[in-house]
Amino acid sequence: MTFAPTPIPSRTQYVLEAIKHAILTARLLPGQALVEAELAAQFGVSKTPVREALKTLAGTGLVVMSQYKGAVVRMVDATMAREVYDVRLLLEPEALRRSIAREASLEAAREALERADSAADKADRSLANRDFHRALYLSCGNPLLGRMLDEIRDQAALVSTVAWAAIPTWEREAAEHREILRLALDGDATAAAAALHDHIASFVRRAFPDDGDGGDAS
């Protein structure tokens, strides 16, 4: 027997999306405290939807909650970034290869790429990029694989937002996305998976180079 997930109340969803957008536009910075009373006053709601929103954001990895310090925006450092991107490297190229092998529609990936190109701010661009990657792996034929990648989507978006604030390389990533999609639409699963692997690896290498490796910071 399967159970449908409990829907999030509308006020909680509104607060959740607003806080997420603030984090992904760097209006709320990594390490910044998220005080329930202040957020409730800002959004004109009680503390209950704020508390529930923060719990949900903690589950996605954007917020860290502690008994003594309360809720704070998650810090992004090289260790955290490499852990998230290592999981992506292990799973995402294979999921894309399977999607192509199943001749899945990639229209959603094309639409997400267009939204990223016309994004109004870093948050919209990051979320569109996240949707682009999801569209590549969602039809891989293994729901568990898709859910595992879904679980780190927000963390990957946070990494990219923090990295872009220091080194704005989104035009380079957009060009790489277009090439990945071209190969996928051509049905070349091996080349598309390899291009995706290189795209993920090169981003984290540029954004968080190993000490002394002389990594490209462009």
Side-chain angles (χ1 to χ4, degrees):
M1 181 183 229
T2 59
F3 296 90
T6 302
I8 299 176
S10 58
R11 288 192 178 185
T12 300
Q13 186 67 43
Y14 163 72
V15 172
L16 188 156
E17 294 300 331
I19 295 174
K20 178 188 292 189
H21 195 272
I23 291 172
L24 295 179
T25 51
R27 292 204 309 273
L28 291 172
L29 298 172
Q32 185 170 340
L34 300 169
V35 181
E36 289 182 10
E38 293 178 359
L39 291 169
Q42 177 183 338
F43 297 122
V45 298
S46 70
K47 290 196 291 186
T48 299
V50 173
R51 186 177 305 117
E52 293 305 311
L54 292 176
K55 288 179 181 177
T56 300
L57 290 168
T60 67
L62 289 183
V63 169
V64 175
M65 302 187 76
S66 130
Q67 181 178 355
Y68 303 105
K69 294 183 179 180
V72 299
V73 180
R74 183 171 184 175
M75 295 293 295
V76 174
D77 57 19
T79 298
M80 177 267 195
R82 289 175 189 143
E83 287 175 353
V84 171
Y85 274 65
D86 186 43
V87 174
R88 293 185 65 192
L89 281 170
L90 290 170
L91 300 181
E92 205 166 317
E94 174 61 18
L96 172 59
R97 188 190 67 76
R98 294 186 181 195
S99 292
I100 297 170
R102 299 179 73 243
E103 299 183 354
S105 171
L106 296 173
E107 183 58 30
R110 190 199 304 274
E111 293 173 355
L113 196 56
E114 292 173 354
R115 283 193 288 113
D117 287 341
S118 60
D121 57 36
K122 288 182 293 185
D124 288 343
R125 185 180 297 111
S126 182
L127 292 171
N129 283 345
R130 184 185 69 164
D131 289 344
F132 169 79
H133 281 272
R134 188 170 192 260
L136 295 180
Y137 66 69
L138 192 61
S139 299
C140 67
N142 185 329
L144 178 58
L145 178 55
R147 288 196 298 272
M148 291 172 70
L149 285 165
D150 275 352
E151 287 178 0
I152 60 170
R153 283 196 306 151
D154 283 344
Q155 295 176 60
L158 178 59
V159 170
S160 65
T161 298
V162 170
W164 286 342
I167 309 171
T169 60
W170 53 77
E171 290 183 357
R172 177 171 180 167
E173 277 92 56
E176 292 171 354
H177 283 175
R178 285 189 284 272
E179 177 62 10
I180 292 165
L181 183 58
R182 184 190 69 80
L183 292 167
L185 290 172
D186 285 347
D188 193 337
T190 299
L196 178 58
H197 185 282
D198 290 346
H199 165 70
I200 295 169
S202 64
F203 175 80
V204 76
R205 191 166 56 244
R206 288 194 304 271
F208 299 93
D210 292 330
D211 291 340
D213 74 350
D216 178 14
S218 62

